[in-house]
Amino acid sequence: MTMCYRELKRPEMIAEAYEKAVKKEPGNEELLSHLFMAYVRCGNYTKQQQTAMALYKVAPKNPYYFWAVMSIVMQAHMSDSKLSCTMYLPLAERMIAKMVKENKLEGEAELKLYIMVLEKSGKRQQALDFVNGLLEASFLGTPGSRWNFYLTKKAELLLRMERYSESNAIYRQLLLDDPDQWQYYQDYFTSMFALVDINWTPDETTQSVSCDYTVELALVFIEQGIAREEAKSSKKLRGPYLACLELLQLLLKRNHSAASRLASPLEQIKQYFTIFGDKNCCFSDISNYLYMLESETDKFLADILTSLGLNGENTEDMLAKEPKIMQRHVCYLAVSRRLGKHCLSHQEKLRLAEELIHRHREGLTLGTDLLTTDLQYSDNYCLLAVHLLYDAWCESGDQLLLWTICALLESALKSSPSNFHIKLLLTKIYSYLGIYGPSVGIKLELRHIQFDTLGYMCFHPALKVGHYSAWKSVLTEALLFFSTNFKDTSEYIISAYKYGSFTKVYEFVQFRQRLNDSLQFALLNVEKNICDLILETSNHQSAEKVLTSMDIDPIIDECKWEDLRDNRDLDVMLTWDPPHSCLTHEQRHLSFTEQKQWLRLRNLTVRALTAAMLLPALPLSHESTTSQAVNGGGTNMCDALLSLHDQLKQHVEELETEHTCERRYSLQGPFCTLIYPFVTGRHGALLLQFLRVVQCCFFLQDDTGKLETSDLQMLTLEIDESMKLVIGRVSEGIIVEGNGQQQFSASTLTQAVLAVETLSHGCLLLGVCDKLLQPLRPVTGRKKSKKKEETVQQATQLLSEFSSLLVRMETFAQELLNAVSADAISMEMQQLNLKTTPSSDMIEDVWKKAQFSYSLSYKQIRDVIETKRKYLASLKPQSSKQPH
């Protein structure tokens, strides 16, 4: 039974079942244990605490007692800081202190929980005393990580308490034991410079503390670490060498004279490259220190190139004969790009790209024995060439370069099918060309948390090009992950309680909250609603069913805007660009803001459509309070629709003011939203006009003695003008002239997608109008007295205006259908002037994939338009039933 409740996502039912069972057998340890876990699934920390204490009374075991303590800690986590510090944390502290006093602590997890409680309470001195006492005694003599945990925790506490000398001494010892731990170096330098700043010197009480309290002592310590590595004949560690570079950087920032005692940046970086240049991590290790080379960059690059021996006169001498030499050369090229040496002329970029393509192809011979799951040694040659060609495209706008990039990446992917960097780049470039990568074989195969971090690589491109079936599929799959998040993390939290990993309980709860607050999650929910409204509504009855199943309250905005978090991984793609060309913090924030603006636009759209759909259920008098008012308030759906219309109008106006040109981020950056094509295509204006038509019909049918159709007539004229603008953008054609050649225009395809969406929303709103005007049709159909003749004429005029609007809507749908006809994509490669380089076969293959994607886009767009024409046809017979 509990398994069924779990699959139904009803954890509260599990708790209720065990509550009833415990009432019958209050002393049953197993039932109480299951009840506790049921409350864990519900996140009811108060009930958890009570149940855990009941368990402890039945069976006095430490795990049950500390379940109660951890439940109190989680109550502190969920409550405000004042209540946390005055009630929950002191209670948890007293409960553990009682066990400490009675010497009943049994496990390592219990010790760590006590430290966590003391740290959260801000009692660092008490935590340090505990670490120096019971924790040290418990871990004394234990090997490896357990002893390191004791030392690291002690050093962290001392550093936070500003007892820098003792902290530095411990980090010094930790580095002697583990000289490759980077976090230790950072804290070591922090404590050392803190001692330097306060001019600390040892006195009688601190002479026994072996710490480095001057820059000179730190220099000796770091140099000794390097000397130990130099004495090794086997594998050297990177930590000491990077620590020396870090120390030099810190000293230069402080303008400290001791910097002259260290080797120059040129010598240190050259030394690092000599030792670790054949490692994939070499570039990322030294990239943050390259700026220190300043005027010596040319000498540095020349010395490295000379050491590689790949600057011979003939072609054979230029090629690497071993994978390690190739990796060194790739690192050299990456460093050159980071230092700005790829800021070349257009022709120079193309020549260098051609050279790198040749190196990539020749380098494949060194990887013939690799598995298909291994990356080819020469893959980064291809990626560097692609970056150069992309730079050339950004400067020239020559679309041929994008087709060439796709051909290169497709070729490289055949040799290295597991290289996700190639797949991500292909997905990005294909999107620029209006092609949906996954539909042409570029499978990203996202799993679990990747739907949150990398989902943006799939969701946006599918909508942008009108691949509705793929869009719906990926939305459904991603939402399935988010919907099972609570259930899955609950199981992880239960396991953490069972095995006493109390610190993991806190981490899992934070992880769950991070997913719940994800911007992607909020965006996916509203996009799925819009997707269903577009694809699942062939008539007004089906539209009503779809909206009913969504269970949306148009009055209450359920999106927690202030809590939204950007969980996208925007660093997943390789980049070797100079710092000024990389994705900046400001650009990340700008993208996040843009995503929230798009989410708000979609949120308001769905809520406005829902409010409109609920209007026909209201009493005829719009002044009366509807029985369907939400939450018992006096606001009816008419007022909600008016409010949402005004909010949407204001938001669209703000977007029109802010988004005056299309934004473009760096190659490794995120996609832009569809805000710019939305506002420039006048789709927002047309949607607002349709909403006003609904409001107008609602008010006009209120009292047939006061009918005024002038507003509806004016709206019909405005809608007609907006439709012409929308059709004009869609009819621009997918082939445009640019840079003296014909190029594919992905923006026209996007305009078609947005036009279809606007058509879909318009059909739904006209269906609402049709239902609102139903009461007027009997009035026009029966015999009239002279007294009511004027009213009947006005009703007839109103229905006539609505019929005209419906006919105009059908014309709009037909014009859209004509604009996206199949003939628009029946073109040959020569029409785009595609050259047959670097491989005619690969260009041919890429073009076939492009044609398939374009054909699929237009087929699915046409299918949706045909469905909406049927929607309109289902309204027409009813709206045309007027007396002759």
Side-chain angles (χ1 to χ4, degrees):
M1 186 170 64
T2 57
M3 291 176 66
C4 292
Y5 289 148
R6 191 158 59 245
E7 292 303 316
L8 289 170
K9 301 174 186 175
R10 297 292 302 275
E12 70 281 359
M13 300 293 289
I14 301 175
E16 288 178 15
Y18 279 113
E19 282 171 359
K20 294 176 182 178
V22 168
K23 281 183 180 179
K24 291 189 175 182
E25 296 184 46
N28 190 311
E29 181 182 354
E30 184 180 358
L31 288 177
L32 281 168
S33 177
H34 283 299
L35 178 59
F36 176 85
M37 297 308 173
Y39 288 137
V40 170
R41 289 192 179 92
C42 297
N44 191 331
Y45 302 119
T46 303
K47 293 283 188 179
Q48 283 179 215
Q49 176 193 349
Q50 295 169 358
T51 308
M53 290 310 296
L55 257 172
Y56 186 70
K57 291 177 182 178
V58 171
K61 300 176 183 177
N62 267 27
Y64 299 152
Y65 187 86
F66 282 92
W67 287 1
V69 174
M70 191 63 211
S71 300
I72 295 170
V73 173
M74 293 312 301
Q75 290 179 69
H77 170 64
M78 299 304 293
S79 62
D80 61 83
S81 57
K82 183 178 180 181
L83 192 61
S84 171
C85 294
T86 57
M87 186 172 78
Y88 292 120
L89 290 176
L91 175 58
E93 181 189 341
R94 287 197 301 272
M95 288 179 68
I96 304 178
K98 178 176 178 292
M99 299 294 278
V100 172
K101 186 177 180 180
E102 296 174 2
N103 197 24
K104 289 184 178 180
L105 293 186
E106 296 175 353
E108 180 181 322
E110 297 164 5
L111 301 172
K112 292 180 178 180
L113 178 58
Y114 190 31
I115 295 173
M116 184 173 75
V117 170
L118 291 172
E119 284 188 290
K120 285 183 177 295
S121 302
K123 298 181 178 181
R124 292 175 184 149
Q125 182 59 56
Q126 196 171 336
L128 181 62
D129 293 340
F130 179 72
V131 167
N132 285 330
L134 188 57
L135 192 68
E136 181 180 12
S138 301
F139 287 0
L140 188 62
T142 57
S145 60
R146 297 183 72 227
W147 179 247
N148 279 349
F149 168 79
Y150 156 70
L151 290 176
T152 303
K153 180 55 65 177
K154 182 176 179 180
E156 286 176 5
L157 288 168
L158 289 167
L159 189 61
R160 290 175 187 172
M161 294 169 66
E162 299 183 359
R163 292 167 61 172
Y164 300 118
S165 59
E166 298 166 79
S167 175
N168 182 270
I170 296 176
Y171 281 121
R172 194 178 190 280
Q173 181 59 48
L174 286 168
L175 284 170
L176 289 173
D177 297 335
D178 186 3
D180 212 31
Q181 177 56 259
W182 186 243
Q183 186 60 49
Y184 294 164
Y185 281 111
Q186 291 182 310
D187 291 333
Y188 168 80
F189 289 137
T190 299
S191 58
M192 183 271 293
F193 279 113
L195 291 171
V196 170
D197 291 338
I198 61 176
N199 295 318
W200 185 90
T201 54
D203 54 25
E204 293 180 359
T205 59
T206 57
Q207 282 185 352
S208 60
V209 178
S210 178
C211 65
D212 295 332
Y213 56 92
T214 65
V215 172
E216 287 71 21
L217 289 172
L219 288 173
V220 171
F221 178 70
I222 297 299
E223 287 169 350
Q224 287 175 348
I226 293 178
R228 284 191 291 271
E229 294 303 314
E230 290 294 317
K232 288 182 180 179
S233 57
S234 58
K235 182 180 178 180
K236 293 180 172 61
L237 300 176
R238 295 150 50 213
Y241 296 95
L242 285 174
C244 193
L245 273 168
E246 180 69 13
L247 180 57
L248 177 61
Q249 177 179 243
L250 293 171
L251 291 173
L252 289 173
K253 285 181 178 179
R254 288 169 163 258
N255 293 320
H256 201 288
S257 58
S260 59
R261 286 189 50 187
L262 290 169
S264 68
L266 174 64
E267 293 173 350
Q268 286 199 46
I269 297 176
K270 276 175 61 178
Q271 180 190 32
Y272 194 87
F273 184 88
T274 301
I275 301 172
F276 304 107
D278 57 347
K279 309 293 183 186
N280 288 327
C281 59
C282 183
F283 172 78
S284 58
D285 285 346
I286 64 176
S287 59
N288 292 329
Y289 305 107
L290 292 174
Y291 76 94
M292 293 193 296
L293 292 171
E294 297 178 341
S295 61
E296 294 183 305
T297 55
D298 291 336
K299 184 178 187 317
F300 169 70
L301 293 173
D303 290 347
I304 289 180
L305 187 59
T306 302
S307 68
L308 293 174
L310 298 180
N311 52 352
E313 295 182 0
N314 58 63
T315 306
E316 291 299 322
D317 292 339
M318 294 174 61
L319 300 176
K321 303 298 189 298
E322 300 176 11
K324 287 190 175 183
I325 296 177
M326 183 184 295
Q327 181 58 48
R328 287 178 178 276
H329 188 236
V330 167
C331 186
Y332 158 77
L333 292 168
V335 169
S336 299
R337 184 171 178 83
R338 174 54 63 93
L339 291 172
K341 300 305 179 182
H342 284 185
C343 296
L344 309 168
S345 68
H346 183 76
Q347 290 302 319
E348 288 173 332
K349 286 177 181 175
L350 296 183
R351 283 196 294 271
L352 180 54
E354 187 176 351
E355 176 193 328
L356 295 177
I357 293 167
H358 176 67
R359 290 183 182 275
H360 168 251
R361 289 176 178 164
E362 294 298 324
L364 293 176
T365 58
L366 298 177
T368 54
D369 297 333
L370 293 174
L371 301 174
T372 55
T373 52
D374 294 330
L375 307 188
Q376 284 289 336
Y377 300 122
S378 62
D379 279 351
N380 283 354
Y381 277 136
C382 178
L383 295 177
L384 281 162
V386 165
H387 279 76
L388 282 164
L389 293 174
Y390 179 81
D391 292 345
W393 171 71
C394 289
E395 294 171 359
S396 66
D398 184 0
Q399 200 177 80
L400 172 61
L401 293 169
L402 292 183
W403 293 101
T404 304
I405 287 173
C406 292
L408 288 172
L409 291 172
E410 286 282 5
S411 177
L413 192 60
K414 288 184 177 180
S415 305
S416 187
S418 298
N419 194 319
F420 69 93
H421 294 296
I422 295 176
K423 292 181 180 181
L424 290 171
L425 268 175
L426 257 177
T427 302
K428 201 76 177 283
I429 302 300
Y430 271 147
S431 180
Y432 292 154
L433 291 168
I435 303 167
Y436 183 51
S439 72
V440 293
I442 312 303
K443 304 297 184 184
L444 295 182
E445 299 176 351
L446 301 184
R447 295 289 183 272
H448 201 62
I449 191 64
Q450 290 176 325
F451 282 114
D452 193 24
T453 58
L454 296 179
Y456 69 94
M457 294 295 294
C458 294
F459 310 143
H460 172 84
L463 171 61
K464 179 183 175 182
V465 300
H467 280 224
Y468 292 113
S469 58
W471 183 42
K472 181 177 181 179
S473 175
V474 73
L475 288 175
T476 303
E477 192 176 358
L479 281 172
L480 180 62
F481 157 69
F482 282 104
S483 64
T484 57
N485 160 47
F486 193 91
K487 183 184 76 171
D488 291 345
T489 49
S490 294
E491 298 304 318
Y492 304 150
I493 296 169
I494 287 172
S495 297
Y497 275 108
K498 283 181 178 178
Y499 298 109
S501 302
F502 298 116
T503 55
K504 295 300 178 185
V505 171
Y506 183 70
E507 290 176 15
F508 284 134
V509 170
Q510 284 188 311
F511 173 75
R512 180 168 65 189
Q513 192 60 44
R514 186 182 181 93
L515 287 180
N516 288 338
D517 295 338
S518 170
L519 171 68
Q520 289 294 320
F521 184 28
L523 197 53
L524 287 169
N525 271 319
V526 71
E527 291 288 0
K528 183 61 167 62
N529 291 337
I530 289 177
C531 178
D532 289 342
L533 288 174
I534 294 174
L535 301 183
E536 307 297 331
T537 54
S538 57
N539 53 53
H540 198 65
Q541 290 73 27
S542 62
E544 289 177 327
K545 289 180 181 178
V546 168
L547 273 170
T548 302
S549 67
M550 290 178 185
D551 194 25
I552 298 171
D553 186 342
I555 295 177
I556 299 176
D557 185 359
E558 296 180 352
C559 185
K560 300 177 181 178
W561 296 98
E562 297 301 321
D563 296 333
L564 288 177
R565 302 187 61 162
D566 189 0
N567 295 336
R568 294 174 299 170
D569 184 355
L570 301 179
D571 297 313
V572 66
M573 295 179 69
L574 280 176
T575 180
W576 303 279
D577 293 344
H580 62 82
S581 300
C582 292
L583 193 66
T584 63
H585 176 74
E586 290 74 19
Q587 289 175 322
R588 294 169 193 265
H589 180 71
L590 182 66
S591 172
F592 182 47
T593 302
E594 184 181 350
Q595 291 286 333
K596 287 198 292 186
Q597 289 175 333
W598 178 250
L599 171 61
R600 180 164 176 76
L601 177 65
R602 309 295 264 181
N603 175 282
L604 289 171
T605 299
V606 171
R607 289 167 60 206
L609 292 175
T610 305
M613 289 292 289
L614 293 174
L615 278 182
L618 296 175
L620 286 181
S621 176
H622 65 276
E623 295 177 354
S624 63
T625 302
T626 177
S627 60
Q628 296 184 4
V630 180
N631 295 329
T635 306
N636 58 29
M637 282 304 138
C638 179
D639 296 330
L641 182 59
L642 288 171
S643 174
L644 289 166
H645 170 274
D646 293 342
Q647 291 179 56
L648 184 59
K649 181 181 178 182
Q650 181 182 355
H651 188 57
V652 170
E653 289 173 351
E654 290 171 355
L655 295 179
E656 289 174 343
T657 303
E658 184 175 342
H659 294 263
T660 56
C661 61
E662 189 167 13
R663 292 172 179 170
R664 180 185 292 174
Y665 301 98
S666 58
L667 183 57
Q668 81 274 18
F671 289 107
C672 297
T673 64
L674 299 184
I675 290 178
Y676 179 72
F678 180 85
V679 296
T680 55
R682 300 292 295 166
H683 304 284
L686 188 52
L687 176 60
L688 288 167
Q689 288 159 3
F690 279 125
L691 288 171
R692 285 165 57 198
V693 169
V694 173
Q695 296 168 21
C696 186
C697 288
F698 179 75
F699 291 134
L700 288 175
Q701 59 89 46
D702 177 24
D703 188 346
T704 55
K706 300 178 181 178
L707 286 177
E708 293 291 340
T709 58
S710 57
D711 289 345
L712 186 58
Q713 292 172 351
M714 290 182 62
L715 274 174
T716 303
L717 292 174
E718 291 177 14
I719 288 173
D720 188 61
E721 289 300 316
S722 296
M723 284 179 175
K724 289 177 181 178
L725 290 172
V726 171
I727 292 296
R729 292 301 305 273
V730 177
S731 302
E732 289 176 356
I734 60 173
I735 301 299
V736 297
E737 289 289 335
N739 297 299
Q741 59 180 309
Q742 290 182 311
Q743 299 185 357
F744 180 83
S745 174
S747 61
T748 304
L749 185 56
T750 303
Q751 285 295 340
V753 171
L754 291 172
V756 168
E757 187 176 303
T758 304
L759 171 66
S760 176
H761 298 338
C763 289
L764 188 150
L765 294 172
L766 287 183
V768 173
C769 294
D770 181 70
K771 201 162 185 178
L772 286 170
L773 298 178
Q774 288 290 341
L776 297 183
R777 293 192 173 96
V779 173
T780 63
R782 62 175 180 256
K783 290 183 178 181
K784 291 84 63 179
S785 63
K786 292 182 179 179
K787 192 174 182 180
K788 294 186 177 180
E789 187 173 348
E790 184 180 348
T791 299
V792 172
Q793 289 177 353
Q794 290 175 335
T796 303
Q797 187 178 358
L798 174 60
L799 291 172
S800 176
E801 285 295 331
F802 177 70
S803 296
S804 298
L805 181 57
L806 200 58
V807 170
R808 182 65 190 93
M809 192 67 166
E810 289 180 316
T811 306
F812 176 61
Q814 183 60 52
E815 289 172 344
L816 271 181
L817 199 61
N818 296 337
V820 295
S821 65
D823 296 336
I825 59 169
S826 59
M827 50 189 165
E828 300 296 328
M829 285 168 47
Q830 289 77 10
Q831 286 183 268
L832 293 182
N833 194 28
L834 294 178
K835 297 180 181 179
T836 55
T837 56
S839 165
S840 58
D841 293 337
M842 286 307 304
I843 285 284
E844 185 79 29
D845 185 43
V846 169
W847 182 242
K848 286 179 180 178
K849 290 184 175 184
Q851 285 183 313
F852 173 78
S853 179
Y854 298 151
S855 300
L856 192 58
S857 293
Y858 280 97
K859 180 185 181 303
Q860 296 193 13
I861 289 173
R862 287 172 62 84
D863 288 346
V864 174
I865 296 175
E866 290 289 1
T867 303
K868 300 311 165 185
R869 291 181 71 193
K870 293 178 182 177
Y871 195 128
L872 293 170
S874 71
L875 302 177
K876 189 174 180 181
Q878 298 176 20
S879 62
S880 60
K881 289 179 182 178
Q882 300 180 23
H884 296 286

